[in-house]
Structures are given as structure tokens and as C-alpha cells.
Amino acid sequence: MLDGLNLDAFTAWLQSLGTWAIAASLLLNIVISVAGVIPSIWLTGANVIAFGPELGFAVSLIGETLGAVSALMLYRRGLSRIPAIQQQRWAWLQRLHQYGRVKRACLVLVARFIPLVPSGVVNAIAALSTMSMLDFTLMTIIGKAPSIWIEGVLGKAMYSNSTIFHIVLIMVIIALIVGWVRRKPS
């Protein structure tokens, strides 16, 4: 899956930075979030290994939140300059603007809870909306916490070739197959 990444070497490099390791991890999280297409599971796994479960989780949550906020600011600035993005053309965006503050915040929260929704998509849609930075930040923290915890456990298990990872992977595949079969019209 991500065999090309050497987690041991990356973790050793991160730990070799000493007091700068956390800053390096935060910066990498920001780059990953702004890029919008790079999965962060390997970095979360490395953070858990390098800093331990609690600090690794905290570093990953702070890093992903800073990354999401940075992406939101950059996307808002960049998307506003593209003439092809005329918000009045998009009915779904008009509906999003009509939602109240709480409903917009709940949409971001739910999107953050769903692991299959890429963070870059959530960041871009939020950038096109009128959502406040405070609401976006709070919903990102609350919504990302469970997925980062799961990523930390799975990331560490995946690279240690753990039985737990294989069991979870098999369960996910079975759940996807069952969902696909149930959804298929008779």
C-alpha cells in the first residue's frame, strides 16, 4: 500500500531533529493539507511512533488543524481570483450560503467524521462558503480527532506489519463488499 515509504527511516529522521521534531511535523502537516491530495496517515503513524501515543496524537491534531486553516486561507485567496468560479452558477453553493451558521458548521463536522471524504475537498468547499474561520477551526478539531486517533493506530500497525492492521483491513473490505451488495438493485 504505502510500502515505498520507509517509516523507520522517517521516524528516525524526525527523532534526530530533537527539539525541532515537533515543528518539522507541524510544517509537514501544513504542506500535506495545503496540497490537498496527500494522505496524512503515514505522518500520523510516524508521530505516534516518534512521540508516543498521546503526544503523537496531539501533534497530529494540531498539525492537521493548522494545515486545514492554512489551506482554507490560501484557497479563499486563490479561488476568489479565478473568474471561472462564479458562485452564482452553482446551485449547491447557493444553498450552502443560505444555510445558517450552525448547519454549515455541522456539515463540515460530518464531512470531517467521514474518512472517505478527502480533507482537501472539505477545505475547498469551506473556502467557497461564507463559513467563519472560528467555526471551521472548531469543527475541524472536533471532527478530525477521532480519525486522527484511528489513523495513528492503523498507521503504526500498518508499518509494524501488525495482525491488528490486517484484521481491520479485512473487516473494512468485508464491510465495503456487504455495502456494495446491499446497494445493488435486485
Side-chain angles (χ1 to χ4, degrees), residues 38-174:
I38 304 168
S40 62
I41 188 170
W42 62 273
L43 182 56
T44 303
N47 285 341
V48 168
I49 293 168
F51 306 123
E54 293 85 11
L55 183 57
F57 168 80
V59 169
S60 293
L61 182 59
I62 292 167
E64 289 206 27
T65 302
L66 288 173
V69 169
S70 299
L72 181 76
M73 291 186 316
L74 289 172
Y75 292 177
R76 277 190 174 163
R77 185 176 192 109
L79 291 173
S80 67
R81 293 180 180 187
I82 300 173
I85 299 181
Q86 295 177 357
Q87 296 180 5
Q88 61 270 22
R89 285 188 187 172
W90 297 343
W92 64 268
L93 191 55
Q94 289 175 355
R95 282 193 304 276
L96 182 63
H97 288 310
Q98 292 170 356
Y99 293 152
R101 177 182 179 196
V102 172
K103 192 166 186 175
R104 279 194 306 265
C106 286
L107 287 172
V108 168
L109 180 64
V110 168
R112 292 289 191 214
F113 278 139
I114 302 171
L116 297 176
V117 177
S119 290
V121 172
V122 177
N123 297 340
I125 291 172
L128 290 169
S129 79
T130 56
M131 173 175 264
S132 75
M133 186 70 69
L134 178 62
D135 290 346
F136 177 79
T137 303
L138 290 174
M139 294 304 104
T140 296
I141 291 169
I142 296 167
K144 281 257 183 216
S147 65
I148 289 173
W149 181 81
I150 292 168
E151 280 181 10
V153 170
L154 289 178
K156 185 176 179 182
M158 178 173 53
Y159 288 106
S160 66
N161 218 1
S162 169
T163 305
I164 293 170
F165 174 71
H166 293 105
I167 291 170
V168 170
L169 183 62
I170 290 168
M171 289 172 52
V172 167
I173 290 170
I174 290 170

